[in-house]
């Protein structure tokens, strides 16, 4: 284990002793807010300290097994037993080290939150809109595999099928943490169904993933800064949809950010949903501006998540998906388009964790 990791873990062991003492004090127990705050920290620190204690225990087992090998070279049975213990302890220590590294990394509180996923057709006309529909299906299938709930908040269908723009809300376990790296430009290379000469065309869509703001920490929006328009919802919906102005469009005048919703028959519920999306977009604008400042200091491996970044290519003739940020190429495009995204999302998270670990190491005094 690297010295800087061992140093960090020893600090956690010391902090656990401090927390045990603090939580036993009567004045702390009398202050419920302070007690709950320290209790939450105790649970996190305790979990990490216990895994580190197990690592140290297995390290001692490994030393003992090596000593047995050295001092019992003429006893075949002890040699076999000691070699098995060396193999077992080494394997478990490697697994524990990876787990401990992951537990040490700073956590983004937004990772556990639901997310809004926006897909917009870009260059390529009708083919781009069709690809937007394919991406929506891919993400929806992925949500089904993860046991997440996905609902369409707003959509603008194209004439030949697909979408000019569609926004969905995804709710489930660690949604934003898993989906955050989908933000960016998605390029497709394939022969469109309208192509008579069999030529490969290139088109693109942009995807943006926004964490749903925590109501307690959501950005404060001045009602005077909003322009709210109502209109008749388009698309299927029966007679009702042509009779009432249930669709809502909200414009945040200072930033020009717009959100709309026509999913519900109730204007009130559509307004509430549109406000959720608007708040998420304003919060994401703040996040992007902070990320741009950070990126100016140091170029990140995963990138800023800016929508203009081309992050991925879907090459249908070759059955290939390439994520350009981490040089990942998979020849299983047909499966990926059916929602088999786990390998891609996990590789991106692993790359991010490696980057965070390098940042952690470089931030410590030498």
């Amino acid at each position: 284990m690297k010295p800087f990791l061992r140093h960090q873990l020893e600090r956690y062991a010391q902090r656990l002793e401090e927390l045990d003492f603090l939580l036993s004090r009567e004045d702390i127990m009398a202050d419920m807010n302070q007690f709950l705050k320290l209790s939450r920290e105790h649970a996190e620190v305790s979990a990490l300290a216990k895994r580190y204690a197990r690592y140290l225990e297995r390290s001692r087992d490994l030393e003992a097994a090596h000593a047995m090998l050295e001092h019992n070279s003429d006893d075949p049975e002890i040699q076999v037993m000691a070699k098995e213990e060396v193999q077992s302890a080494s394997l478990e220590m490697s697994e524990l080290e990876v787990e401990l590294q992951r537990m040490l990394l700073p956590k983004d509180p937004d990772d556990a939150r639901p997310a809004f996923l926006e897909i917009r057709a870009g260059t390529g006309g009708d083919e781009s809109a069709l690809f937007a529909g394919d991406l929506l299906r891919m993400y929806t299938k992925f949500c089904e595999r993860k046991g997440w709930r996905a609902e369409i908040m707003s959509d603008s269908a194209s004439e030949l099928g697909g979408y000019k723009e569609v926004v969905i809300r995804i709710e489930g376990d660690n949604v934003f943490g898993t989906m955050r790296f989908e933000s960016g430009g998605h390029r497709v290379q394939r022969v469109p169904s309208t192509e008579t000469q069999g030529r490969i065309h290139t088109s693109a869509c942009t995807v943006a993933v926004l964490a749903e703001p925590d109501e307690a920490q959501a950005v404060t929006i001045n009602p005077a800064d909003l322009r709210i328009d109502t209109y008749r919802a388009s698309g299927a919906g029966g007679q009702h949809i042509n009779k009432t102005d249930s669709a809502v469009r909200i414009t945040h005048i200072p930033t020009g950010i717009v959100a709309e919703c026509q999913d519900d028959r109730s204007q009130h519920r559509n307004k509430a949903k549109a406000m959720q999306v608007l708040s998420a977009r304003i919060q994401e604008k703040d996040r992007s501006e902070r990320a741009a400042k950070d990126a100016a200091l140091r170029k990140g491996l995963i990138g800023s998540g800016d929508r203009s970044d081309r992050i991925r290519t879907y090459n249908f003739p070759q059955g290939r998906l390439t994520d350009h940020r981490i040089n990942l190429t998979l020849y299983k495009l047909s499966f990926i388009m059916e929602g088999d995204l786990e390998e891609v999302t996990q590789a991106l998270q692993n790359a991010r964790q490696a980057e965070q670990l390098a940042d952690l190491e470089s931030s410590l005094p030498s």
Side-chain angles (χ1 to χ4, degrees), residues 301-314:
L301 175 66
I302 301 300
S304 65
D306 189 285
R307 299 180 203 184
S308 62
D309 293 343
R310 189 193 72 187
I311 64 166
R312 194 174 294 157
T313 296
Y314 303 72

Side-chain angles (χ1 to χ4, degrees), residues 136-147:
L136 175 64
R137 183 174 183 274
M138 176 185 76
Y139 287 127
T140 303
K141 290 278 190 182
F142 181 59
C143 289
E144 291 175 5
R145 286 169 175 256
K146 300 286 286 185

Side-chain angles (χ1 to χ4, degrees), residues 60-92:
R60 290 190 292 270
D61 292 342
L62 183 62
E63 288 181 11
H66 279 302
M68 286 174 65
L69 282 173
E70 185 178 345
H71 299 300
N72 296 275
S73 56
D74 57 345
D75 190 326
E77 288 187 11
I78 291 181
Q79 286 281 305
V80 170
M81 184 174 65
K83 286 178 181 177
E84 288 177 353
E85 180 64 8
V86 166
Q87 185 176 7
S88 172
S90 298
L91 179 61
E92 186 174 352

